[in-house]
Amino acid sequence: MVDSNSQTDYKPGRSKTRQKELKEELYFILRNKSIKKRTVHDLSDRLTKIADEYELGRPVPPQEIELYLTQMKEEGINIPEPYMDKRKVNFRLQATPTSRNPHELERKDFPKSGFKFAAISNTELGNYYARDDALLAFYRYCEHAGVRTVLHCGDILAGPRTKHTMEEIETDDPWDQTDMLVKNYPQIDGIKTLFITAPDCEGKFIDKHKTMMGPLIQKTAKEAGRDDLIYVGHKSNDVIFDVDGTECIVTMAHTTGKVPYARSYPAQKMVQSLQGGKKPHLLILGHLMQLEDYLDREVWVVQAGGFKDQTPSMVADRQHADVGGYMIEMRKPRDYEEHFYDQDFAMIPSRVTFFNREWYEKHGVYRRSHRRPEVTKSRRKAK
Amino acid sequence: MSDNEPKLEGLDESLWNRMSSDDRVYSLDELCNEFDCSPKELKKSYKRLKNLGATGTLSNKRKIPEAFKEEFEQMQKVSKKRTRNIDVYSFIPESQGGTGHQMRFGATSDSHMVSHHHVGNAKKQEGPLWNFYRMCAREGIDTVFHGGNYIDGACRFNKFEVRATGVTEQFDIFVNEYPYVPGVKTVFISGDDHEGWWWKRDGLDVAEYGALKANAAGRDDMEFIGYIEADIAIIPGVGFVYNKYLPSEEEKKTLLEQNLLRSDDDLDPRKHKDGTYDPSIFYPKSKGLGDLVIPKNAAIMRLMHAGGGTSYAKSLRSQKIVEVQEAGEKPQIMLIGHYHKAVSDLIRNVHTVQLGTTEDQSSFMRKKTIPADLGSYILEINQDEVGAINVFSSRFIPYVNRGYNQRLQNWTLNSGQ
């Protein structure tokens, strides 16, 4: 009988022949599309046969299979609800994450006068061209401005290597990229990052490894002592917060497809596609690496830019890269703003832009520490 | 093996002898090296032996050659990287403890004051433009930039949609009815349509005429700086510097004292640099910054009234305008009027803002299916010591019309009574 507490260091997706655990064998059976019969009894029979081959000297009862399935689900492997096939319950792995409810932030976090937050996208940590210096500076700027929530609209990881991005991505392993993210993503006291996963980049890991990257990132961060990375959903989800007693709905979305010539076109089409009665107050869009803001059909729209320099593959694809993010204040119109009728909220976006690394080197903007030189001098004097 | 079973030869025999030892799991690499064969051959042999009853399993555990072990270990390690620190204090204004220079100003465009479709009532001092100016005064903003088309001009297709058709009448209405709020001045650029039609047809310098009319009416809050486009320098610690029509003596003195002007005579663009005077130059003058001494850390803001048709995609016209600028000519900020659209972009490191409008959809726009973004902007920039704009805040103040004037579809026999 297998003890449920004795969880070994199980990492699905690693080389099949490195670990001989039955749970891994079960994982590969569930991934194998050619195997039709996947009820608990069928899986039990299969694993018993494999255990015989490994000469483990014991059968694998259905109870153990159920235990493995539960453990895999808790670890983030996407085993959805079982499906019925001829009155028998089968299990399978699925690449598509299930949808989530809108994420509501706690009301105690909001001052009465308005709500300030930041919006970013496309940090792509794991890519050699990711601008970690700009991202860190942005977070420090947010700290100074009193921002406590950062909304990240997808492409938080670089994703797997493709034939076009072979030399641009450091590691092809989702767990290594997750570790890299947890170690190198800016962590500032008091600031939480709510992120969605995108259908490209980390979405390709989801397709390939059938692993929910969002919960995996959140879990890995928590194990490393970070509770500031919070997974909100896949592709798009709403974040609801309170502005002076009124609910404000912010949709974080990660679009797909190539970047068209007209920058505002994808966002305009997205706003127009939203169903009446379901429109948010603010739509934040990621993926296109453009910085833009406007009001369209009574929906505030912000394209959140990116934190990655233009890579060689982007040059070949004729894609630009705007490095920067937005700091946004949503507040109720003040007494003298009498022309705001029909608009629940005023949006005050501040676009924070960064240049390429060479510009900062040329103008001597890089510092040894992030404190002001006068502060360090005075501290030295005090000592 | 019994005598009845087929005899094994070569690799099969060697493998059979090997696998009959106590080891249960055999390394494929080691066996291949030992028997000097390829993994494929060994696997085939193993399969044959398995059918004959051989025990043991083959493990094809990946083996890293010695020469690559260090690199592989490096690949396995995920370490915390050392990140370079950008000076964050250049993003923060001096008033908040940083080293940046913050400036706030308003921007609007396309008022079309004389048109029936202008949204607002000068007698009651209400409407989007009046509300915007009052808001600027409350927020401490002292400069508003206007992107052109402040009046409606006269043409064959708008002569029954304006309150007055003559140039003098229209300018009189304009200087008397344009919002006046103490402490707020407006800097105008003239477009080449509407007010610019008089230049094209009759050769009237509308910018100079507007300046003269405003001066005569005592509107010292109205400044005219050019035709189609004009540059404004934003100097850290100094503010906005630009050439304007009819500067006062005090303003000339201020520019000279700040060493921003080479000489008093340089304000007249009809004077050439070699000292000659050419009165025949009669193109509406965009003052530009040519004769002003602009330091290297100044940012350039271009106030522009564009032309041509609009587009479905809001940002397209801004993109085209920026892309046709010559190398070295691009400003840091472009404020664009004409399209009656409101959108703020970053295009090729130029912060572009299309300034919206305070005119409702005219019949021309309605039938051409051109939407109108009613509203104005409050802009806030942070400039670092080098002159780069690193924070750009563009707050659009929308105005929802809801039939302020009238709607064609709501016309009844009693309309107008």
Side-chain angles (χ1 to χ4, degrees):
Chain A
M1 189 67 176
V2 173
D3 184 8
S4 62
N5 292 327
S6 63
Q7 285 195 17
T8 55
D9 190 18
Y10 165 64
K11 282 194 168 55
R14 300 262 186 214
S15 172
K16 192 172 164 180
T17 54
R18 272 199 224 164
Q19 300 177 31
K20 301 290 183 189
E21 297 292 335
L22 289 174
K23 202 158 81 171
E24 189 171 284
E25 292 294 338
L26 177 63
Y27 174 76
F28 285 110
I29 290 168
L30 291 172
R31 271 186 74 172
N32 193 339
K33 289 179 187 174
S34 61
I35 297 171
K36 300 280 165 104
K37 293 180 183 176
R38 298 157 187 252
T39 61
V40 171
H41 292 158
D42 294 327
L43 294 170
S44 172
D45 291 338
R46 275 193 174 267
L47 279 189
T48 303
K49 197 176 169 185
I50 291 168
D52 284 341
E53 285 175 12
Y54 291 164
E55 299 192 359
L56 294 177
R58 62 173 183 87
V60 180
Q63 202 175 359
E64 196 177 330
I65 299 293
E66 284 170 22
L67 177 68
Y68 289 152
L69 288 172
T70 311
Q71 284 173 357
M72 282 157 77
K73 192 161 189 183
E74 282 166 7
E75 285 163 10
I77 296 169
N78 201 12
I79 301 175
E81 295 301 316
Y83 69 92
M84 298 284 284
D85 182 31
K86 294 179 186 175
R87 292 185 169 227
K88 288 182 183 174
V89 179
N90 286 267
F91 293 88
R92 63 182 171 189
L93 289 186
Q94 185 176 278
T96 313
T98 49
S99 59
R100 288 189 152 212
N101 289 329
H103 186 94
E104 255 189 79
L105 295 173
E106 293 180 24
R107 289 188 184 230
K108 64 177 174 68
D109 292 333
F110 305 111
K112 269 203 163 178
S113 56
F115 184 54
K116 236 183 193 177
F117 58 96
I120 59 173
S121 177
N122 289 71
T123 47
E124 298 194 32
L125 275 159
N127 193 309
Y128 286 117
Y129 293 83
R131 291 297 301 277
D132 50 350
D133 56 339
L135 187 62
L136 182 62
F138 182 81
Y139 267 78
R140 286 194 176 131
Y141 178 67
C142 288
E143 183 193 18
H144 178 89
V147 164
R148 288 186 297 171
T149 306
V150 176
L151 303 183
H152 191 305
C153 294
D155 281 355
I156 195 168
L157 293 178
R161 290 185 187 123
T162 63
K163 60 179 178 180
H164 302 293
T165 58
M166 268 303 201
E167 291 171 357
E168 295 172 10
I169 293 177
E170 290 186 48
T171 168
D172 212 18
D173 191 279
W175 289 274
D176 284 347
Q177 280 198 17
T178 306
D179 288 340
M180 201 180 284
L181 173 81
V182 167
K183 283 179 181 165
N184 294 294
Y185 197 85
Q187 185 182 13
I188 308 281
D189 282 338
I191 295 183
K192 290 200 173 168
T193 305
L194 310 182
F195 67 94
I196 57 171
T197 48
D200 53 341
C201 293
E202 57 268 6
K204 289 184 182 151
F205 281 144
I206 297 172
D207 290 340
K208 200 172 167 186
H209 298 276
K210 308 288 191 286
T211 305
M212 296 286 290
M213 291 307 298
L216 178 68
I217 292 169
Q218 187 172 337
K219 188 186 157 204
T220 312
K222 211 164 187 178
E223 284 167 2
R226 290 184 69 157
D227 59 352
D228 60 318
L229 293 173
I230 298 168
Y231 171 62
V232 170
H234 184 66
K235 288 188 195 169
S236 75
N237 205 357
D238 291 348
V239 175
I240 300 173
F241 50 82
D242 184 89
V243 178
D244 203 7
T246 307
E247 248 184 22
C248 180
I249 302 171
V250 175
T251 298
M252 297 162 61
H254 193 96
T255 186
T256 52
K258 294 261 182 189
V259 181
Y261 179 71
R263 289 167 161 247
S264 60
Y265 186 78
Q268 279 180 248
K269 290 304 291 181
M270 188 173 265
V271 168
Q272 287 176 11
S273 70
L274 294 171
Q275 211 173 9
K278 284 181 77 173
K279 283 194 257 190
H281 295 102
L282 168 63
L283 170 68
I284 307 173
L285 204 57
H287 174 73
L288 299 167
M289 296 204 54
Q290 290 167 173
L291 289 162
E292 190 181 52
D293 59 272
Y294 56 89
L295 176 70
D296 191 25
R297 300 172 78 84
E298 298 182 22
V299 176
W300 295 103
V301 179
V302 166
Q303 291 200 45
F307 281 87
K308 185 179 80 166
D309 276 338
Q310 195 185 30
T311 62
S313 58
M314 289 173 78
V315 172
D317 278 343
R318 303 171 294 279
Q319 286 181 21
H320 53 265
D322 292 342
V323 180
Y326 267 94
M327 212 165 65
I328 299 170
E329 186 182 348
M330 296 291 280
R331 61 173 170 81
K332 280 279 196 85
R334 291 192 178 129
D335 290 339
Y336 56 83
E337 292 169 2
E338 59 271 5
H339 48 273
F340 263 104
Y341 72 99
D342 274 15
Q343 292 294 324
D344 288 335
F345 301 102
M347 179 182 82
I348 305 166
S350 295
R351 187 161 57 222
V352 183
T353 53
F354 295 89
F355 305 106
N356 56 2
R357 292 182 195 267
E358 288 76 24
W359 189 92
Y360 292 108
E361 278 167 13
K362 183 182 167 191
H363 292 281
V365 185
Y366 280 126
R367 295 276 178 267
R368 289 179 96 180
S369 77
H370 79 281
R371 301 213 174 271
R372 284 185 73 171
E374 293 80 22
V375 173
T376 49
K377 274 181 196 169
S378 62
R379 282 190 177 185
R380 276 184 208 149
K381 277 183 189 172
K383 281 181 185 175
Chain B
M1 277 172 58
S2 64
D3 292 334
N4 294 333
E5 289 171 2
K7 282 189 180 174
L8 300 171
E9 289 175 344
L11 178 63
D12 289 352
E13 187 185 2
S14 313
L15 194 59
W16 176 264
N17 294 333
R18 187 75 168 76
M19 288 177 77
S20 55
S21 62
D22 293 332
D23 289 335
R24 292 294 183 196
V25 179
Y26 304 97
S27 167
L28 182 65
D29 280 348
E30 280 177 19
L31 291 176
C32 285
N33 291 337
E34 193 180 323
F35 300 125
D36 197 20
C37 63
S38 70
K40 197 173 180 181
E41 285 173 16
L42 196 84
K43 281 180 186 173
K44 279 184 185 169
S45 172
Y46 167 75
K47 205 174 175 182
R48 288 194 289 270
L49 296 175
K50 265 290 204 190
N51 292 335
L52 293 174
T55 59
T57 50
L58 270 184
S59 164
N60 58 353
K61 182 177 177 178
R62 194 192 311 158
K63 196 185 164 197
I64 311 298
E66 279 295 328
F68 294 94
K69 258 194 178 159
E70 207 179 288
E71 284 169 11
F72 186 73
E73 275 161 21
Q74 205 59 38
M75 275 161 53
Q76 295 281 332
K77 238 192 278 182
V78 172
S79 56
K80 184 165 171 58
K81 290 181 185 171
R82 196 169 162 223
T83 308
R84 297 191 78 174
N85 293 299
I86 292 175
D87 180 17
V88 179
Y89 288 94
S90 61
F91 292 79
I92 300 162
E94 274 175 340
S95 56
Q96 293 172 26
T99 57
H101 302 272
Q102 191 181 58
M103 298 207 59
R104 294 185 82 209
F105 54 98
T108 186
S109 181
D110 293 273
S111 312
H112 298 271
M113 292 295 299
V114 190
S115 165
H116 284 311
H117 302 286
H118 169 75
V119 181
N121 190 320
K123 282 182 187 167
K124 293 180 187 173
Q125 294 187 358
E126 61 184 29
L129 207 52
W130 277 100
N131 291 340
F132 172 66
Y133 271 83
R134 278 191 279 261
M135 197 169 157
C136 287
R138 284 189 181 107
E139 302 239 346
I141 291 167
D142 57 9
T143 310
V144 174
F145 291 95
H146 193 291
N149 283 173
Y150 37 87
I151 52 176
D152 214 37
C155 193
R156 59 171 178 81
F157 52 78
N158 79 338
K159 61 182 176 182
F160 300 113
E161 292 184 350
V162 291
R163 290 188 277 150
T165 48
V167 59
T168 303
E169 283 176 303
Q170 288 207 8
F171 269 97
D172 281 341
I173 292 170
F174 165 61
V175 298
N176 286 317
E177 294 188 2
Y178 195 82
Y180 172 76
V181 176
V184 183
K185 72 175 178 194
T186 312
V187 178
F188 291 92
I189 189 88
S190 301
D192 76 329
D193 55 346
H194 294 277
E195 62 271 8
W197 290 329
W198 282 305
W199 149 246
K200 285 182 176 171
R201 278 200 304 261
D202 308 312
L204 173 70
D205 185 348
V206 285
E208 190 173 31
Y209 189 71
L212 288 166
K213 275 292 201 181
N215 203 25
R219 291 294 300 258
D220 53 355
D221 62 309
M222 286 180 165
E223 295 176 355
F224 292 79
I225 63 171
Y227 177 74
I228 300 179
E229 60 182 63
D231 284 355
I232 298 122
I234 306 174
I235 301 172
V238 173
F240 297 116
V241 173
Y242 48 84
N243 270 321
K244 68 171 200 177
Y245 286 86
L246 306 179
S248 65
E249 290 304 319
E250 271 183 39
E251 278 161 343
K252 285 187 212 175
K253 197 178 164 190
T254 311
L255 285 173
L256 280 168
E257 279 169 3
Q258 288 177 336
N259 293 322
L260 293 170
L261 195 61
R262 288 198 181 85
S263 78
D264 194 14
D265 292 335
D266 290 339
L267 290 172
D268 188 349
R270 283 173 291 188
K271 277 193 178 174
H272 291 287
K273 283 182 184 172
D274 58 4
T276 55
Y277 183 83
D278 187 355
S280 67
I281 292 174
F282 192 57
Y283 190 80
K285 299 168 279 289
S286 271
K287 292 287 178 171
L289 297 169
D291 296 323
L292 295 175
V293 179
I294 304 299
K296 277 186 183 174
N297 66 342
I300 302 296
M301 180 166 75
R302 190 159 295 159
L303 182 62
M304 179 179 184
H305 191 88
T310 185
S311 62
Y312 172 75
K314 291 182 184 232
S315 64
L316 185 70
R317 302 304 298 173
S318 305
Q319 284 173 244
K320 295 301 288 180
I321 287 165
V322 170
E323 280 159 20
V324 298
Q325 310 271 334
E326 214 174 6
E329 196 196 8
K330 289 204 300 275
Q332 277 71 43
I333 302 172
M334 279 198 87
L335 305 180
I336 302 169
H338 176 72
Y339 297 111
H340 294 218
K341 298 273 189 317
V343 58
S344 170
D345 281 291
L346 178 71
I347 300 167
R348 296 169 72 88
N349 282 337
V350 179
H351 295 276
T352 58
V353 185
Q354 289 190 38
L355 298 171
T357 180
T358 49
E359 189 200 25
D360 191 10
Q361 265 183 323
S362 59
S363 52
F364 174 84
M365 290 178 73
R366 193 84 174 170
K367 62 180 188 174
K368 299 275 185 191
T369 62
I370 301 170
D373 292 339
L374 254 81
S376 307
Y377 271 96
I378 287 181
L379 303 170
E380 189 177 301
I381 60 170
N382 184 77
Q383 196 178 11
D384 65 10
E385 284 156 356
V386 179
I389 311 287
N390 48 27
V391 182
F392 186 89
S393 172
S394 53
R395 178 185 167 190
F396 180 57
I397 298 145
Y399 196 90
V400 182
N401 190 9
R402 296 287 185 270
Y404 187 94
N405 294 339
Q406 68 165 19
R407 285 274 185 242
L408 293 171
Q409 64 270 32
N410 292 336
W411 184 86
T412 65
L413 285 172
N414 292 325
S415 294
Q417 289 182 7

